[in-house]
Amino acid sequence: MSIKTQIDMTRGPIFSKLLEFSVPLIFSSILQLLFNAADIIVVGRFAGDTSLAAVGSTSSLINLLVNLFMGLSVGTNVIAANYFGQGNREELQNTVHTSMLLSLISGVILTFTGVIFAKPILYLMQSPQDVLNLSAVYLRIYFGGITASMIYNFGSALLRAQGDTKRPLIILLIAGIINVILNLIFVIFLHLDVAGVAYATVISQIFSAVMVVLILCREDNDFRLDFKKITIVPHILAKIIKIGIPAGFQGIMFSFSNVIIQSAINSFGQVVISGNSAAINLEGFVYTSMNGFSQGALTFTSQNLGAGKKDRIKKIVGISHFSIIVIGLALGWAGILFNDQLLSFYTKTPEVIEVGKIRIWVIFSMYFMCGIMDAMANIIRGCGHSLLPAIVTIFGASVLRIMWLATVFMIPQFHTPFVVFLSYPISWTITWLIHLVCFIVIFKKIK
């Protein structure tokens, strides 16, 4: 049975095509989350709460180091989708080959950065001594294999540009199974602790990278990858950087604020770190469900702008927002209702579960605001304006949170995990409102 690999987003009903694009992407993102969830659940249940805290507390640091280059993959998606919408075959081929070489370069840079600076940054994050060494082991192994992750993410960004989210889903389904099996073998039977889950993650990412490269090499269209043509085309690289660097820097600042927040959480000790880590992992499943529609809005906007179908962009805003609000409210409140059962997958320690429940109540009740904030930023980015949403997000989702921690959190009676968590919904709401005003101004200029 053949798999439909392209979606023409410039004609026909938007909602059904957005669903066709976004649903496989949501499941793909959930499977990626299961890599980390499997790591956390296995170490929490079979290696203890210290190992749980060691793995869980690394996510904000990993995102901090990776997000700049992930921004470049966003640039790849936008540029490729735009040329695909235009029907510009030559420039699309140039984008494919520039992007894949860029993914390799990005991975090598990240490997050196992560391996060398992991432990010093953990010191700056005030990681407790009993957690720090285990976290450093996990990070060094993880970044040792990060090139495979970069190749997969750039390759899947190219596939998404033509509307193909199904084959990346199949790749990640198989990779997820590999990851879970290796987790159990390395931790339970070989007693490798956090090193075992790191090795399992790297091996599964290598599989994903190999598969996405094979798919691109066998394409029968302008997305075909030919190793003989791999090079950096300067003007394509410039366009990817123009979109990608602001997106990546936005991600860095977003993650930097999360590192600051993680440092505040670390000051409360291992129990709070563990509860926070478990809740964050659960949040990921809700976030990726919303983010699938946000990524869809990015690609749909870029394709339609390339095809000159500007009137469809306004409809994309309404449909993507409606979809995100519905799924955010449904999954968020389901998480609140079943928080005890969900957190018990990660730990059986009552004190850890109680901390996790506090974060879930604060975050999940308003999580849809985070979803529409991201969608609005992506739509502006799809219109070719990447710097503006980056500046707005840096201010709203980063600077405001840091200011919150430096002022409100410092008041003795407000020096609690609850007040730290409260910084999220407040910053999401303010940032979305500013994005909305920016889009209205930009759309008038486009029209």
Side-chain angles (χ1 to χ4, degrees), residues 379-395:
I379 289 166
I380 295 172
R381 192 167 288 116
C383 290
H385 296 264
S386 191
L387 183 59
L388 181 59
I391 292 171
V392 172
T393 303
I394 288 168
F395 170 75

mmCIF file of all heavy atoms in Angstrom, residues 379-395:
data_model
loop_
_atom_site.group_PDB
_atom_site.id
_atom_site.type_symbol
_atom_site.label_atom_id
_atom_site.label_comp_id
_atom_site.label_asym_id
_atom_site.label_seq_id
_atom_site.Cartn_x
_atom_site.Cartn_y
_atom_site.Cartn_z
ATOM 1 N N ILE A 379 2.968 31.444 12.516
ATOM 2 C CA ILE A 379 2.275 32.043 11.368
ATOM 3 C C ILE A 379 3.015 33.301 10.907
ATOM 4 O O ILE A 379 3.214 33.508 9.708
ATOM 5 C CB ILE A 379 0.807 32.360 11.731
ATOM 6 C CG1 ILE A 379 0.017 31.043 11.859
ATOM 7 C CG2 ILE A 379 0.164 33.268 10.689
ATOM 8 C CD1 ILE A 379 -1.324 31.188 12.533
ATOM 9 N N ILE A 380 3.451 34.111 11.856
ATOM 10 C CA ILE A 380 4.240 35.302 11.506
ATOM 11 C C ILE A 380 5.547 34.879 10.827
ATOM 12 O O ILE A 380 5.974 35.466 9.831
ATOM 13 C CB ILE A 380 4.532 36.147 12.763
ATOM 14 C CG1 ILE A 380 3.229 36.701 13.349
ATOM 15 C CG2 ILE A 380 5.489 37.295 12.439
ATOM 16 C CD1 ILE A 380 3.387 37.385 14.694
ATOM 17 N N ARG A 381 6.163 33.807 11.352
ATOM 18 C CA ARG A 381 7.415 33.290 10.776
ATOM 19 C C ARG A 381 7.165 32.746 9.366
ATOM 20 O O ARG A 381 7.978 32.937 8.468
ATOM 21 C CB ARG A 381 7.976 32.213 11.693
ATOM 22 C CG ARG A 381 9.400 31.797 11.377
ATOM 23 C CD ARG A 381 9.995 30.980 12.511
ATOM 24 N NE ARG A 381 10.287 31.821 13.658
ATOM 25 C CZ ARG A 381 9.705 31.703 14.848
ATOM 26 N NH1 ARG A 381 8.799 30.762 15.061
ATOM 27 N NH2 ARG A 381 10.023 32.513 15.834
ATOM 28 N N GLY A 382 6.042 32.066 9.179
ATOM 29 C CA GLY A 382 5.690 31.556 7.859
ATOM 30 C C GLY A 382 5.466 32.665 6.853
ATOM 31 O O GLY A 382 5.607 32.452 5.647
ATOM 32 N N CYS A 383 5.121 33.859 7.335
ATOM 33 C CA CYS A 383 4.957 35.028 6.461
ATOM 34 C C CYS A 383 6.301 35.660 6.095
ATOM 35 O O CYS A 383 6.343 36.683 5.402
ATOM 36 C CB CYS A 383 4.079 36.077 7.146
ATOM 37 S SG CYS A 383 2.339 35.605 7.291
ATOM 38 N N GLY A 384 7.401 35.054 6.588
ATOM 39 C CA GLY A 384 8.730 35.552 6.255
ATOM 40 C C GLY A 384 9.319 36.501 7.267
ATOM 41 O O GLY A 384 10.405 37.047 7.072
ATOM 42 N N HIS A 385 8.633 36.725 8.398
ATOM 43 C CA HIS A 385 9.122 37.614 9.456
ATOM 44 C C HIS A 385 9.539 36.766 10.658
ATOM 45 O O HIS A 385 8.704 36.389 11.483
ATOM 46 C CB HIS A 385 8.034 38.614 9.866
ATOM 47 C CG HIS A 385 7.643 39.553 8.777
ATOM 48 N ND1 HIS A 385 8.182 40.814 8.643
ATOM 49 C CD2 HIS A 385 6.775 39.413 7.747
ATOM 50 C CE1 HIS A 385 7.657 41.419 7.587
ATOM 51 N NE2 HIS A 385 6.792 40.581 7.030
ATOM 52 N N SER A 386 10.825 36.459 10.760
ATOM 53 C CA SER A 386 11.287 35.587 11.837
ATOM 54 C C SER A 386 11.830 36.357 13.032
ATOM 55 O O SER A 386 11.748 35.898 14.166
ATOM 56 C CB SER A 386 12.367 34.635 11.318
ATOM 57 O OG SER A 386 12.651 33.631 12.256
ATOM 58 N N LEU A 387 12.385 37.540 12.781
ATOM 59 C CA LEU A 387 12.996 38.305 13.874
ATOM 60 C C LEU A 387 11.951 38.847 14.841
ATOM 61 O O LEU A 387 12.146 38.803 16.061
ATOM 62 C CB LEU A 387 13.822 39.458 13.290
ATOM 63 C CG LEU A 387 14.599 40.310 14.313
ATOM 64 C CD1 LEU A 387 15.576 39.451 15.100
ATOM 65 C CD2 LEU A 387 15.338 41.446 13.599
ATOM 66 N N LEU A 388 10.831 39.346 14.306
ATOM 67 C CA LEU A 388 9.803 39.953 15.160
ATOM 68 C C LEU A 388 9.223 38.976 16.184
ATOM 69 O O LEU A 388 9.205 39.287 17.389
ATOM 70 C CB LEU A 388 8.694 40.550 14.294
ATOM 71 C CG LEU A 388 7.550 41.248 15.035
ATOM 72 C CD1 LEU A 388 8.086 42.403 15.878
ATOM 73 C CD2 LEU A 388 6.501 41.750 14.050
ATOM 74 N N PRO A 389 8.736 37.780 15.786
ATOM 75 C CA PRO A 389 8.216 36.863 16.801
ATOM 76 C C PRO A 389 9.286 36.403 17.781
ATOM 77 O O PRO A 389 8.979 36.096 18.945
ATOM 78 C CB PRO A 389 7.669 35.683 15.986
ATOM 79 C CG PRO A 389 8.339 35.766 14.668
ATOM 80 C CD PRO A 389 8.569 37.226 14.432
ATOM 81 N N ALA A 390 10.545 36.365 17.323
ATOM 82 C CA ALA A 390 11.634 36.000 18.231
ATOM 83 C C ALA A 390 11.791 37.052 19.324
ATOM 84 O O ALA A 390 11.908 36.719 20.514
ATOM 85 C CB ALA A 390 12.937 35.840 17.456
ATOM 86 N N ILE A 391 11.775 38.339 18.926
ATOM 87 C CA ILE A 391 11.919 39.420 19.907
ATOM 88 C C ILE A 391 10.756 39.414 20.894
ATOM 89 O O ILE A 391 10.946 39.538 22.109
ATOM 90 C CB ILE A 391 12.011 40.784 19.185
ATOM 91 C CG1 ILE A 391 13.324 40.873 18.393
ATOM 92 C CG2 ILE A 391 11.917 41.934 20.186
ATOM 93 C CD1 ILE A 391 13.407 42.081 17.484
ATOM 94 N N VAL A 392 9.542 39.251 20.365
ATOM 95 C CA VAL A 392 8.357 39.247 21.223
ATOM 96 C C VAL A 392 8.405 38.075 22.217
ATOM 97 O O VAL A 392 8.137 38.243 23.408
ATOM 98 C CB VAL A 392 7.069 39.175 20.376
ATOM 99 C CG1 VAL A 392 5.843 38.976 21.269
ATOM 100 C CG2 VAL A 392 6.904 40.442 19.546
ATOM 101 N N THR A 393 8.764 36.888 21.713
ATOM 102 C CA THR A 393 8.800 35.713 22.578
ATOM 103 C C THR A 393 9.910 35.830 23.609
ATOM 104 O O THR A 393 9.740 35.423 24.771
ATOM 105 C CB THR A 393 8.988 34.433 21.744
ATOM 106 O OG1 THR A 393 7.929 34.349 20.791
ATOM 107 C CG2 THR A 393 8.955 33.192 22.624
ATOM 108 N N ILE A 394 11.057 36.369 23.202
ATOM 109 C CA ILE A 394 12.149 36.562 24.161
ATOM 110 C C ILE A 394 11.701 37.472 25.290
ATOM 111 O O ILE A 394 11.972 37.204 26.466
ATOM 112 C CB ILE A 394 13.392 37.136 23.447
ATOM 113 C CG1 ILE A 394 14.033 36.050 22.567
ATOM 114 C CG2 ILE A 394 14.406 37.656 24.463
ATOM 115 C CD1 ILE A 394 15.083 36.586 21.620
ATOM 116 N N PHE A 395 10.997 38.548 24.933
ATOM 117 C CA PHE A 395 10.508 39.448 25.986
ATOM 118 C C PHE A 395 9.433 38.794 26.838
ATOM 119 O O PHE A 395 9.521 38.760 28.063
ATOM 120 C CB PHE A 395 9.946 40.735 25.367
ATOM 121 C CG PHE A 395 9.206 41.591 26.358
ATOM 122 C CD1 PHE A 395 9.889 42.335 27.307
ATOM 123 C CD2 PHE A 395 7.811 41.613 26.370
ATOM 124 C CE1 PHE A 395 9.199 43.095 28.250
ATOM 125 C CE2 PHE A 395 7.111 42.380 27.297
ATOM 126 C CZ PHE A 395 7.814 43.121 28.246
#
